[in-house]
Amino acid sequence: MRHLRRRGLSPGFRARGWTRSGGKYQLPSETHWVLAGTQKSAFSDRDEVQFTINLLVVSRADWAEIRERRGGGVAPLATTHPGSPGDWGRLGMLASPDDLDVWWTVSPRSDLPELANSVLTTMDGFGTPWLSERL
């Protein structure tokens, strides 16, 4: 998974204007937290990792209020569903016509550039439009 992030996902996200920090990708915005983060499946093992991409949009003002009320970090995590003020979704579900929870698989047999391209193409076609609608 680390190689996929370093050699495929991170360069692809950076080329699209995202930054990476603390295990999450962030699209710069003065008014909102716009985040994407990988989540590894609990069913993964050392030979095969299943993962998805979680997306989060929440206004910075709303997050400050949530933090004050419930605690939490300066920035939310993409795996954190903030509740009613924010929007959270899974990239695979956004791309699925049946709203299925789609996960990608990394194994020693994986073609990492092809896998990264699949994730980034899905992000371009479904994730980015979904995020843009919420800003």
Side-chain angles (χ1 to χ4, degrees), residues 5-20 25 120:
R5 271 196 299 267
R6 283 187 183 166
R7 296 183 185 155
L9 295 180
S10 291
F13 272 95
R14 274 194 306 274
R16 289 160 173 81
W18 295 72
T19 60
R20 183 163 189 266
Y25 299 98
L120 293 166

Side-chain angles (χ1 to χ4, degrees), residues 75-90:
L77 301 173
T79 55
T80 304
H81 191 290
S84 56
D87 289 295
W88 179 89
R90 282 214 170 117

Side-chain angles (χ1 to χ4, degrees), residues 99-115:
D99 203 31
L100 299 174
D101 197 4
V102 178
W103 294 65
W104 288 268
T105 302
V106 179
S107 74
R109 299 170 306 284
S110 296
D111 179 331
L112 296 184
E114 183 179 306
L115 183 56

Side-chain angles (χ1 to χ4, degrees), residues 24-114:
K24 64 182 174 279
Y25 299 98
Q26 179 179 331
L27 193 59
S29 168
E30 291 184 20
T31 60
H32 288 77
W33 290 106
V34 183
L35 305 172
T38 58
Q39 178 184 341
K40 186 170 83 168
S41 167
F43 299 105
S44 298
D45 58 34
R46 65 184 180 99
D47 295 323
E48 187 174 276
V49 175
Q50 293 179 326
F51 72 96
T52 191
I53 305 288
N54 294 314
L55 304 172
L56 174 68
V57 177
V58 63
S59 82
R60 289 179 182 265
D62 287 344
W63 179 251
E65 188 178 306
I66 291 167
R67 256 184 81 214
E68 190 173 305
R69 216 175 43 248
R70 297 189 310 199
V74 172
L77 301 173
T79 55
T80 304
H81 191 290
S84 56
D87 289 295
W88 179 89
R90 282 214 170 117
L91 181 57
M93 290 179 86
L94 296 174
S96 169
D98 299 319
D99 203 31
L100 299 174
D101 197 4
V102 178
W103 294 65
W104 288 268
T105 302
V106 179
S107 74
R109 299 170 306 284
S110 296
D111 179 331
L112 296 184
E114 183 179 306

